[in-house]
Amino acid sequence: MDHGVVIRKLKDFGLHDILIRWFCSFLKDRQQRVVIGEHGSDWITLTGAVPQGSWLGPLTFLVLINDLTAACHVHKFVDDTTLSEVLRVDQPSTMQENLDDIVSQSAASLMNINVNKTKEMRLGACARKQQYQDLILEGSVIENVKSYKLLGVHVTETLKWDVHITAMLYKASKRIHFPKQLRRVGVSTANLLTYYNSVIRSVLQYACPVWHTSITAGQSQDIETAEACTSVHSWRS
């Protein structure tokens, strides 16, 4: 995040000069270093970005991307931006123009789009059959994928949840043995319940309003079985 760009956008919001000067003071002459064990790197002065772990860090980035817009739907979450368009059969796509707009706006804010992490996915049978032109970003063709992990949820081109459920169960299964180990060392039932809810159940229920109403009976049973197995490990002595 370039400090000059952030300050300019804060001024565009109409903030009082006192707040602008206070924010400049917050950003000015900030230093950081890396410490591993007893060893630390030299201090460096930040000429961009904001101090790590500060409450103003995420807010500053929101200021930076607030005016990022396109003619299609734009879904923004911190540094993850998704463009989407709904097309009728034989309707031409304008996604390349929308992408070019986002690239231009990002460049004006001195932000670079990561080409390798940018993907295209076409949802629905009609969209997959249509012969749309490949999207180009900075001279490279954007990879067209059948599945993509978006904000922790695995979305597929068929809008089925096999990939997501499999990944979720695998992630939860790697944590199931921990409650048993905690029980052996005398951790109380109340603390085991807290651990289960925060570390395991949270994985199995993450973003469930998005996918749970569309999963199969078998997938629902797999999730219930995973929760039951965890409970057995947790409460048995």
Side-chain angles (χ1 to χ4, degrees):
M1 291 181 285
D2 182 89
H3 292 172
V5 174
V6 172
I7 297 303
R8 173 176 59 80
K9 293 191 176 187
L10 287 174
K11 290 181 178 179
D12 292 341
F13 282 140
L15 266 65
H16 196 282
D17 286 344
I18 293 177
L19 289 176
I20 298 294
R21 291 198 296 269
W22 174 81
F23 201 84
C24 288
S25 176
F26 171 75
L27 295 175
K28 185 179 179 182
D29 296 330
R30 286 284 186 171
Q31 292 185 319
Q32 70 180 29
R33 67 171 181 164
V34 176
V35 176
I36 301 178
E38 298 178 355
H39 305 281
S41 66
D42 295 333
W43 288 97
I44 61 170
T45 301
L46 298 178
T47 57
V50 293
Q52 295 294 311
S54 65
W55 183 85
L56 285 176
L59 179 63
T60 305
F61 196 85
L62 291 179
V63 170
L64 196 64
I65 67 171
N66 181 71
D67 57 356
L68 197 64
T69 59
C72 63
H73 297 290
V74 181
H75 318 273
K76 293 179 286 187
F77 185 82
V78 194
D79 62 345
D80 194 310
T81 300
T82 303
L83 307 181
S84 66
E85 63 177 350
V86 180
L87 300 176
R88 298 187 301 271
V89 177
D90 297 327
Q91 180 182 356
S93 171
T94 60
M95 186 55 71
Q96 183 64 61
E97 291 81 358
N98 297 326
L99 178 60
D100 293 340
D101 287 342
I102 291 293
V103 171
S104 298
Q105 294 174 55
S106 298
S109 296
L110 302 182
M111 294 188 296
N112 297 322
I113 295 179
N114 191 321
V115 179
N116 295 328
K117 291 185 178 181
T118 302
K119 309 296 180 183
E120 176 191 15
M121 186 163 61
R122 299 170 185 174
L123 305 177
C126 292
R128 297 195 297 274
K129 292 178 181 178
Q130 289 285 96
Q131 296 298 316
Y132 297 112
Q133 290 186 343
D134 292 327
L135 297 178
I136 307 297
L137 177 59
E138 297 182 359
S140 300
V141 176
I142 294 179
E143 180 185 4
N144 193 298
V145 298
K146 298 181 181 298
S147 174
Y148 188 71
K149 186 178 181 181
L150 180 62
L151 301 180
V153 178
H154 295 266
V155 182
T156 66
E157 62 180 2
T158 60
L159 293 180
K160 294 182 178 180
W161 299 105
D162 306 71
V163 175
H164 179 70
I165 298 300
T166 299
M168 180 181 67
L169 292 176
Y170 175 72
K171 184 176 181 180
S173 68
K174 294 193 298 183
R175 306 180 180 190
I176 286 179
H177 71 283
F178 287 113
K180 188 175 182 179
Q181 300 300 320
L182 293 173
R183 186 73 171 180
R184 284 179 176 176
V185 297
V187 174
S188 66
T189 300
N191 287 334
L192 283 174
L193 181 61
T194 299
Y195 177 89
Y196 167 73
N197 287 330
S198 59
V199 177
I200 299 176
R201 191 182 183 92
S202 61
V203 171
L204 296 172
Q205 295 187 343
Y206 175 75
C208 61
V210 175
W211 49 264
H212 193 266
T213 57
S214 303
I215 62 177
T216 65
Q219 291 169 339
S220 180
Q221 182 60 46
D222 289 341
I223 296 173
E224 295 294 335
T225 300
E227 290 187 327
C229 288
T230 307
S231 298
V232 169
H233 280 297
S234 299
W235 317 133
R236 280 182 179 173
S237 57

